[in-house]
């Protein structure tokens, strides 16, 4: 650069725009509303662009006797057809363990499994051609549910056990015990943008992949592996997803791989976009579970022993199921201390699509099981379920401050000038002997805000008063009944696979003062790019508008982890902060040297740098530094501290910390039809020090409604042949606008993450999902009222109007018969 | 050749496959990619666009699903897409409100929400909460949980409105007038063809030429064959522009609705006669579907779970079926013969639906049961039309959807009730007879057991509601 850009030298003294803690709007909000935000299918196509579609199996389990693709080849517009034998490299794309063949080469293991892919001149031609294959099958018996899988000991991975002391004995010796079962339905992600990838051949036999994926690095790896080329010849570009929710963690890869395979064969760009029906049939969903519990407790309702069996329906292959069932087990305690406990986790293999990551990653299915048990205990003892919950919480103790007056102070260099962080002097109060603080996997629950949070919510939601009103309402109303429930969430934050807890970032500062930011995280709507940009803005003390966040690319930041486990801000935020701080440190050292002052006198504030009596605006400083040959680009890196876990012993500290919240839901049910309505929801949720309250509230509300859909109207139906019958929004009903609670009150709990997370915030992506368990529990409460709250109705999920009516009928019959 | 206005410019389209949808035309021919495909079946609203239509001298704006609308049906109308809104380089109030109230997350559904709210703003500058919910009933969002979007919608009026001059809209009216003629519109790519007659005469002539043509009214169901099953129609005849089929007439005792009249068009008139029907209509499909779908289409496709047919059976509606120069009237109850089989003869079409006006002393109760309140197909729909006098059942018509292969009357049940006292005992006895009337099926929406149980419970609910009008026993009535 010979000549530098002229700068606007107006002095700015107002605080920066988009600092950490502000309700900054989503970085793409403007583009979302104008339709200018570009998704993969919106990219302008090359003149020789081809479009692909997938031919799928018509049986759930069996062999291919013959596959005649003549008509497919001959169809109008068809350019190429690929089968398993056309894959030059590795055929198996299993993310952790083998088992996921890109195309069937031998045995079909689910109805709708991809058999071949076809590329044609148009999307419609490809879809039409894919219907023309003549396939003869040799069917084999199919396992289609958990009961059958358990009977046949059909597992994708071996069972796993977590235990402490002797649960069986504790239950046997307890004054009371209950047993129960809950069958939990799966869930379709229903991201509004379906799976899509465009593969563009590049020189040296390489491939550029545009994809809608939560895990670009894995797409890169798998495309390279199926093509048999080194990773460095594959570049993956991911600007934004139209929703992910876990459904694009592993499930985006096959379509990118198939597009790449066809692109390799044709040497033309190939786009593969699944239409909604194919997407629902061919991609994995949330795992259905069929769980059992046996709980011993005392006269007050305190749990003395618990045996919980968690059975996940993994579908035909391991995919991520080992970790997902583990997470279900890690959350089978939820917020409750289980002293004598045994948790068994089975990974059932069925001949269905391989189930996969979905917001909560097994956690919700573990958590609802213990919540079901708590409600049962309350009915058994004739008490309010909230009182049983409260007496079983982990002990509430947290780090305490040495002095109440100097608890917080301002800091300039490491955390940004305007941000308040907890002072030194916090220390962990060691748990007393015999206190109730250790999880079934031997992690100490350190910062347990739940007792305090629940107390606050109980007050602010007026729980006790409303409980009385509801009992009165139910006595007066024959047909409509109300229910109320408060349920807590304690969710462990970190990938339980330790090596995934790392992240990288890349920050460039250009000579006009503008900043380019990249990191390994992907944007699926959750506001990650906004939050990380806020962090960099805060670090440099510049307006967020000066920061450009562009597509996540494997050639910018390599070897990244999936954007998952709620941890992407924790990880990528820290990595970006690290990169920014490296550049900032160089700038500080340069200023100190250049102007001969102490580095501690250099302060970045309000788009400026102050040192002694002098001030430069940020861009001036950057130009000066450039002229004096200071590097203005850096990579940043972060790995989560403290975590470790020995799976053989089922003990350790898998989670850096816990995120918590609680919700009170009030519902109204119709005992003649089973229909229901959510009348009011109060949520209090802990995000630590919020990086962006607007985005955090959006995550809480959205997660809650999605969780409510999982437990109420979203029902997946398969026929007796293992064919999915709910293949579109006409039959699969996610919450629509009228399903929102009539009265919806969401608040952030005032708190600070006492671990050194990014600005002491807490992860927010998944935890709120499970707040919706309160809706399900409230429906059960309403049904239970029909028995005078003496019977705890069995209510499998999703609690569709049909299941609610069934439960109503059962309880009415049981009540008449006398308990 | 067809002509329509894209924003304020005439688009002339010829030599294009008439099976092309508006969505595909926008994305593939015009590169207007702001309009998204979320489902391709009119159930998610990501593809929502707004259509302006001339009604007399004024422009009416409505939201529709671009994915299940045939391009050819835009002839003579104005198409407004999300790209149209930012012409002035300033966000439209609905866009600004969504930005300011954090109403977008992943953004994929957002253009659809913007367009639904744009149509709402055109019709109701300061909308009520109910109007907002109605306008957005066909837009799914998987990220936000809707609260932020509703909040944005409620604040649209706070932003300065866009500067659209009267001249601009006058010019649009003038342009649309010049496009709309009395001629048959047609579109063909040399292989498939489309016709839109303007009069019954023209329609009859076309039917004689093309006896195998598929009749299109709205197309919210028909287009699914193209978008979901990759079928192509060789000849399509659109009834949507036939003057006689798109009008509503009123006589002393009957409302006569042309078979191509949309749900939303007849909403107000029906509300006057049967508020209970409009309460049900608010839950039929979505706003986009109600803007496009018609009662005639609902009857024509003979779905066993259509929502209007059981209601029309209960109130004793009949149909005019037209063929060439002859027409006949048939009770709607006799029209449905078997699963997707009707009494409609080859070359015949539904001309009008005759709905008798509410009779004094009668009460109509309609219960729609589905998994979800908005935009969901019924598991069961029960319609009860009752006349009581001195606590005696003088007349009773009961019809159900979702209980048989066709929408059907509950004859045994009616017999058990007629001339009986209106008592719990009578009702209990009558509910048992429903098992003689129906042998429902199990499918994705409900099991046979649930359907039967609910059908029986609905009769009981009807009894409770009629007996005690002040009691609230519907979830939908509780606020």
């Amino acid at each position: 650069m010979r000549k530098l850009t002229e700068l606007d030298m107006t002095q700015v003294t107002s605080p920066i725009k988009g600092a950490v803690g502000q309700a900054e709007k989503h970085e793409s909000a403007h583009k979302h509303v104008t339709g200018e935000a570009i998704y993969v299918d919106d990219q302008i196509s090359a003149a020789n662009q081809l479009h692909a579609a997938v031919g799928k199996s018509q049986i759930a389990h069996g062999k291919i006797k013959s596959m005649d693709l003549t008509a497919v080849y001959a169809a109008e517009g068809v350019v190429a057809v690929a089968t398993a034998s056309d894959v030059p490299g590795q055929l198996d794309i299993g993310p952790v363990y083998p088992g996921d063949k890109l195309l069937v080469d031998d045995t079909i293991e689910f109805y709708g499994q991809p058999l071949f892919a076809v590329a044609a001149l148009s999307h419609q031609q490809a879809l039409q051609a894919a219907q023309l294959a003549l396939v003869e099958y040799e069917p084999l018996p199919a396992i289609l549910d958990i009961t059958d899988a358990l009977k046949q000991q059909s597992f994708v991975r071996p069972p796993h056990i977590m235990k402490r002391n002797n649960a069986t004995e504790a239950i046997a010796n307890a004054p009371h015990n209950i047993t129960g079962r809950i069958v939990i339905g799966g869930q379709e992600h229903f991201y509004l943008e379906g799976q899509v990838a465009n593969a563009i051949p590049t020189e040296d036999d390489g491939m550029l992949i545009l994809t809608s994926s939560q895990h670009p690095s894995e797409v890169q790896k798998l495309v390279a592996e199926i093509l048999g080329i080194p990773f460095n010849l594959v570049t993956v570009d991911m600007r934004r997803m139209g929703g992910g929710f876990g459904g694009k963690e592993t499930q985006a890869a096959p379509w990118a791989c198939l597009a790449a395979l066809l692109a390799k064969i044709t040497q033309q760009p190939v786009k593969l976009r699944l239409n909604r029906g194919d997407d629902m049939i061919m991609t994995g969903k949330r795992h259905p579970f069929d769980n059992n519990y046996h709980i011993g407790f005392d006269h007050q309702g305190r749990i003395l022993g618990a045996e919980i069996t968690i059975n996940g329906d993994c579908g035909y292959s391991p995919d991520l199921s080992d970790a997902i069932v583990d997470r279900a087990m890690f959350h089978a305690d939820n917020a409750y201390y289980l002293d004598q406990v045994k948790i068994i986790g089975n990974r059932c293999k069925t001949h269905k699509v391989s189930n996969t990551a979905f917001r909560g990653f097994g956690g919700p299915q573990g958590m609802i099981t213990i919540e079901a048990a708590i409600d049962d205990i309350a009915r058994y003892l004739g008490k309010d379920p909230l009182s049983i919950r409260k007496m079983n919480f982990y002990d509430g103790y947290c780090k305490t401050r040495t002095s109440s007056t100097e608890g917080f102070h301002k800091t300039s260099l490491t955390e940004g000038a305007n941000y308040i962080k907890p002072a030194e002097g916090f220390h962990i109060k060691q748990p007393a002997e015999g206190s109730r603080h250790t999880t079934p996997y031997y992690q100490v629950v350190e910062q347990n805000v739940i007792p305090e949070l629940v107390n606050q919510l109980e007050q602010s939601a007026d729980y006790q008063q409303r409980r009385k009103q509801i009992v009165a309402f139910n006595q007066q109303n024959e047909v409509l009944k109300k229910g109320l429930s408060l349920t807590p969430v304690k969710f462990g934050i970190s990938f339980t696979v330790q090596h995934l807890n790392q992240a990288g970032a890349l920050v460039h500062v250009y000579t006009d003062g503008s900043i380019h930011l990249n990191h390994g995280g992907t944007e699926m709507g959750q506001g990650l790019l906004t939050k990380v940009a806020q962090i960099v803005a805060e670090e440099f003390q510049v307006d967020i508008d000066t920061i450009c966040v562009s597509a996540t690319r494997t050639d910018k930041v390599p070897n990244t982890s999936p954007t998952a486990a709620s941890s992407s801000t924790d990880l990528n935020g820290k990595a970006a902060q690290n990169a920014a701080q490296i550049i900032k440190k160089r700038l500080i050292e340069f200023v100190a040297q250049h102007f001969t002052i102490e580095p501690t006198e250099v302060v970045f504030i309000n788009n400026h740098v102050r040192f002694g009596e002098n001030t430069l605006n940020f861009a001036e400083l950057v130009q000066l530094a450039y002229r004096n040959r200071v590097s203005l680009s850096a990579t940043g890196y972060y790995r989560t501290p403290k975590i470790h876990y020995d799976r053989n012993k089922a003990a350790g500290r898998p989670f850096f910390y816990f995120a918590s919240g609680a919700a009170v839901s009030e519902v109204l049910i119709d005992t003649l039809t089973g229909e229901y309505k959510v009348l009011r929801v109060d949520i209090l949720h802990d995000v630590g020090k919020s990086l962006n309250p607007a985005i955090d509230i959006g995550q809480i509300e959205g997660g809650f409604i999605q969780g409510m859909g999982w437990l109420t109207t979203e029902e997946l139906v398969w026929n007796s042949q293992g064919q999915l019958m709910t293949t579109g929004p006409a039959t699969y009903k996610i919450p629509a606008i009228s399903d929102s609670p009539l009265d919806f009150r969401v608040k952030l709990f005032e708190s600070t993450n006492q671990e050194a997370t990014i600005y002491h915030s807490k992860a927010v992506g998944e935890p709120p999902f499970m707040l919706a368990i309160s809706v399900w529990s409230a429906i059960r409460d309403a049904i239970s009222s029909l028995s005078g709250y003496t019977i705890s109705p069995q209510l499998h999920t999703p609690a569709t109007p049909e299941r609610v009516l069934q439960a109503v009928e059962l309880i009415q019959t049981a009540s008449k018969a006398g308990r | 050749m067809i002509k329509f206005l894209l924003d304020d410019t005439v688009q002339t389209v010829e030599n294009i496959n008439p099976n092309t949808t508006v969505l595909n035309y926008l994305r593939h021919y015009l590169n207007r990619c702001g309009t998204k495909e979320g489902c391709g079946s009119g159930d998610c609203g990501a593809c929502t666009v707004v259509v302006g239509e001339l009604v007399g001298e004024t422009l009416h704006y409505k939201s529709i699903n671009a994915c299940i609308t045939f391009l050819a049906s835009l002839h003579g109308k104005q198409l407004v897409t999300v790209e149209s809104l930012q012409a002035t380089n300033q966000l439209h109030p609905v866009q600004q409100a969504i930005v300011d109230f954090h109403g977008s997350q992943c953004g994929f559904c957002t253009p659809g929400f913007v367009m639904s709210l744009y149509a709402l703003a055109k019709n109701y500058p300061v909308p009520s909460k109910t109007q907002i919910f109605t306008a957005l009933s066909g837009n799914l969002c998987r990220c936000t949980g809707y609260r932020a979007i509703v909040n944005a919608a409620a604040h649209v009026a706070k932003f300065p409105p866009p500067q659209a001059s009267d001249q601009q809209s006058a010019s649009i009216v003038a342009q649309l007038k010049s496009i709309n003629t009395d001629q048959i519109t047609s579109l063909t790519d040399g292989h498939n063809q489309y016709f839109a007659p303007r009069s019954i005469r023209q329609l009859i002539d076309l039917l004689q030429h093309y006896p195998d043509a598929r009749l299109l009214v709205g197309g919210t169901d028909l287009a699914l064959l193209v978008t979901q099953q990759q079928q192509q129609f060789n000849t399509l005849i659109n009834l949507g522009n036939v003057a006689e089929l798109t009008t509503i007439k009123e006589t002393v005792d009957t409302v006569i609705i042309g078979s191509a009249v949309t749900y939303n068009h007849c909403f107000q008139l029906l509300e006057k006669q049967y508020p209970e029907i409009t309460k049900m209509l608010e839950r039929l499909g979505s706003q986009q579907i109600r803007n496009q779908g018609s009662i005639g289409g609902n009857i024509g496709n003979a779905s066993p779970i259509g929502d209007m047919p059981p209601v029309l059976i209960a109130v004793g509606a009949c149909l005019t079926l037209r063929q060439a120069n002859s027409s006949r009237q048939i009770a709607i109850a006799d029209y449905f013969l078997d699963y997707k089989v009707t009494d409609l003869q080859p070359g015949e079409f539904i001309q009008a639906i005759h709905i008798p006006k509410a009779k004094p002393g009668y009460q109509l109760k309609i219960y729609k049961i589905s998994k979800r309140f908005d935009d969901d197909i019924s598991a069961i729909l029960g319609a009860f039309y009752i006349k009581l006098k001195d606590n005696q059942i003088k007349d009773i018509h009961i019809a159900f959807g979702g209980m048989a292969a066709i929408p059907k009357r509950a004859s045994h049940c009616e017999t058990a009730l007629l001339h009986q006292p209106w008592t719990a005992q009578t009702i209990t006895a009558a509910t048992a007879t429903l098992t003689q009337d129906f042998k429902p099926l199990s499918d994705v929406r409900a099991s046979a057991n649930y359907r039967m149980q609910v059908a029986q419970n609905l009769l009981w609910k009807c009894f409770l509601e009629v007996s005690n009008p002040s009691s609230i026993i519907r979830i939908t009535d509780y606020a």
Side-chain angles (χ1 to χ4, degrees), chain A residues 23-26 28-30 32-39 41-42 44 123-124 127-128 131 187-194 240-243 245 273 275-277 358-359 473 477-480 482 523-526 666 668-677 679 692 694-695 697-699 701-703 705-706 709-710 713-715 717 725-740 742 744 800-803 805-806 809, chain B residues 17 19 24 27-28 31 33-46 82-83 85-86 89 91 94-96 98-100 102 104-111 113-114 129 132-134 136-150 226-232 283 367-377 443-451 453-454 457-458 460-462 464 472-479:
Chain A
E24 177 66 20
K25 66 180 198 293
H26 192 283
S28 288
H30 190 280
H32 291 155
V33 298
T34 58
E36 290 167 316
I38 293 170
Y39 301 80
D41 196 38
D42 304 334
I44 291 173
H123 188 214
Q124 197 185 9
L127 286 167
Q128 282 170 335
Q131 295 177 334
Q187 186 179 24
E188 161 63 35
H189 299 84
F190 213 88
Y191 26 65
L192 263 287
E193 177 210 32
R240 61 170 63 78
M241 281 166 270
F245 318 113
R273 174 172 70 83
N275 62 19
R276 184 58 62 180
F358 195 150
R359 203 175 200 166
F473 176 94
N477 285 273
E478 206 46 34
V479 175
L480 302 185
K482 285 185 180 181
E523 178 64 37
M524 61 190 105
Q526 82 280 42
E666 180 178 339
L668 181 73
I669 67 164
D670 181 333
T671 57
L672 291 175
T673 62
E675 298 162 288
Y676 43 79
K677 182 148 125 179
L679 301 177
N692 182 326
I695 284 177
I697 297 250
Q699 285 297 297
E701 292 175 345
I705 297 295
Q706 200 174 63
W710 167 55
T713 56
E714 292 183 38
E715 186 175 32
V717 181
M725 303 309 287
T726 44
T727 57
T731 47
Y732 185 76
K733 308 312 280 188
I734 70 168
I737 199 152
S738 297
D739 299 307
S740 319
L742 291 179
F744 198 11
T800 55
E802 174 158 355
R803 287 210 177 82
L805 187 64
Q806 268 172 6
E809 300 275 327
Chain B
N17 183 345
N19 290 286
N24 284 336
R27 293 183 62 85
H28 300 153
N31 202 32
C33 289
T35 308
K36 309 297 182 195
E37 176 174 326
C39 69
S41 59
D43 293 304
C44 81
V82 70
E83 286 86 357
L85 271 57
Q86 41 153 349
N89 220 4
L91 291 182
V94 301
Q95 295 174 312
Q96 193 64 54
I98 289 177
V99 170
D100 288 4
H102 306 279
S104 73
Q105 286 186 23
C106 86
F108 200 81
C109 70
T110 310
F113 274 94
V114 165
K129 198 166 179 187
I132 291 170
F133 276 64
T134 303
L136 298 178
S137 56
N139 291 86
L140 295 179
C141 170
R142 192 55 153 167
C143 297
T144 63
Y146 301 104
R147 204 262 324 148
I149 299 172
V150 174
V226 174
T227 68
Q228 301 298 297
Q229 295 176 25
Q230 318 309 323
Q231 292 185 26
Q232 296 280 290
R283 290 182 52 198
Y367 306 100
K368 172 174 172 147
I369 309 298
S370 55
K371 272 184 197 153
R372 191 175 72 188
F373 283 101
D374 287 325
D375 196 5
D376 196 1
I377 291 167
D443 66 11
V444 290
R445 296 196 172 82
S447 70
N449 283 342
Y450 177 71
R451 287 193 156 107
Q453 184 68 58
V454 168
N457 287 358
L458 288 182
W460 183 251
K461 187 183 268 274
C462 174
L464 294 177
I472 292 179
I473 61 165
R474 297 192 205 195
I475 297 266
T476 41
D477 289 343
Y478 188 93

Side-chain angles (χ1 to χ4, degrees), chain A residues 44-348:
Chain A
I44 291 173
S45 299
N48 60 345
Q49 178 75 52
L50 300 177
H51 302 265
V54 180
K56 35 191 200 298
S57 75
Q58 302 289 315
I59 59 166
H61 189 204
K63 305 265 184 192
I64 300 173
K65 254 203 238 166
S66 70
M67 184 159 74
D68 179 357
L69 300 178
T70 318
V72 182
Y73 278 102
E76 195 186 343
V78 168
V79 177
V81 182
T83 62
S85 61
D86 296 310
V87 174
Q90 194 177 301
L91 185 63
D92 201 306
I93 58 166
V96 188
Y97 305 100
D100 295 289
K101 304 274 180 70
L102 181 61
L103 294 167
V104 172
D105 65 340
D106 180 39
T107 307
I108 291 164
E109 298 208 86
F110 76 92
Y111 201 114
Q113 192 167 8
L115 303 178
F116 64 92
V118 51
L121 298 176
S122 76
H123 188 214
Q124 197 185 9
Q125 286 171 336
L127 286 167
Q128 282 170 335
Q131 295 177 334
L132 302 175
L134 297 171
V135 187
E136 274 189 280
Y137 303 98
E138 190 185 313
L140 294 167
I143 298 171
L144 296 173
D145 62 35
I146 293 171
T147 310
D148 213 7
L150 287 172
K151 214 178 285 168
Q152 302 194 33
Q153 294 284 292
S154 165
F155 299 127
V156 295
R157 296 287 305 154
H160 182 56
I161 293 174
M162 291 172 187
K163 60 182 288 197
R164 175 166 56 209
N165 303 333
N166 192 333
T168 315
E169 205 171 275
I171 296 166
N173 294 335
H176 311 284
N177 72 85
I178 49 137
T179 57
R181 174 186 181 205
I182 176 166
V183 180
I184 304 158
Q187 186 179 24
E188 161 63 35
H189 299 84
F190 213 88
Y191 26 65
L192 263 287
E193 177 210 32
Q195 304 280 359
V196 58
N198 195 2
I200 302 159
T202 56
E203 57 185 41
D204 301 322
D205 289 329
M207 207 57 79
L208 170 65
I209 308 285
L210 310 176
T211 177
S212 175
S213 165
Q214 291 171 242
H215 200 349
S217 282
E218 192 163 85
V219 171
Q220 176 197 26
K221 169 185 182 278
L222 294 172
V223 166
E225 285 178 353
I226 64 123
L227 296 181
I229 58 176
F231 292 12
N232 62 8
L233 289 181
V234 179
T235 298
V236 174
D237 175 295
M238 206 324 285
R239 173 58 183 92
R240 61 170 63 78
M241 281 166 270
F245 318 113
K248 292 172 181 170
E249 185 172 345
T250 64
Q251 302 297 295
W255 326 111
C257 290
L258 286 173
L261 176 62
L262 288 163
K264 165 98 176 170
I265 292 169
T266 59
Q267 284 301 305
Q268 286 176 242
V270 176
K271 179 153 66 184
L272 176 45
R273 174 172 70 83
L274 296 185
N275 62 19
R276 184 58 62 180
D278 281 351
D279 194 310
M280 291 184 73
I281 291 165
M282 293 194 282
T283 67
K285 306 165 196 321
R286 181 184 296 285
H287 291 57
F289 274 70
D290 187 341
N291 299 342
N292 297 290
Y293 47 91
H294 190 192
I295 313 281
F297 50 96
D298 66 15
H299 300 303
Q300 275 70 49
R302 183 167 271 207
I303 296 172
L304 301 173
E307 280 183 336
I308 299 169
T309 308
I310 304 279
N311 302 303
D313 179 349
C314 304
Y316 80 97
S317 77
D319 186 69
L320 304 176
S321 293
D322 228 7
I324 288 165
V325 177
D326 273 0
R327 192 170 270 271
M329 297 168 73
F330 282 127
H331 290 83
D333 61 339
N334 193 15
Y336 312 108
Y337 176 70
L338 305 176
D339 188 45
Q340 317 253 332
V341 56
K342 184 177 183 186
I343 301 164
I344 304 167
N346 291 314
R347 288 96 172 120
C348 299

Side-chain angles (χ1 to χ4, degrees), chain A residues 553-586:
Chain A
R553 285 178 65 111
T554 53
D555 58 356
K556 286 197 167 176
V557 177
N559 310 324
T560 56
S561 294
T563 301
S566 306
S567 62
S568 59
T569 306
D570 285 14
L571 298 174
N572 297 290
K574 274 282 190 185
Q577 181 188 43
N578 178 235
Q581 287 181 350
I582 289 168
I583 297 172
K584 201 165 140 185
K585 187 157 176 275
R586 288 182 200 145

Side-chain angles (χ1 to χ4, degrees), chain B residues 147-187:
Chain B
R147 204 262 324 148
I149 299 172
V150 174
N151 205 13
H155 287 89
V156 166
K158 290 196 169 172
F159 297 91
Q163 296 150 348
S165 66
D166 291 344
Q167 282 134 340
Q168 274 172 317
S169 67
S171 135
I172 286 164
V173 170
Q175 291 193 74
L176 289 182
K177 275 186 173 172
S178 75
I179 301 173
N180 281 289
T181 65
D182 293 338
Q183 303 300 308
I184 297 175
T185 311
S186 66
L187 181 67

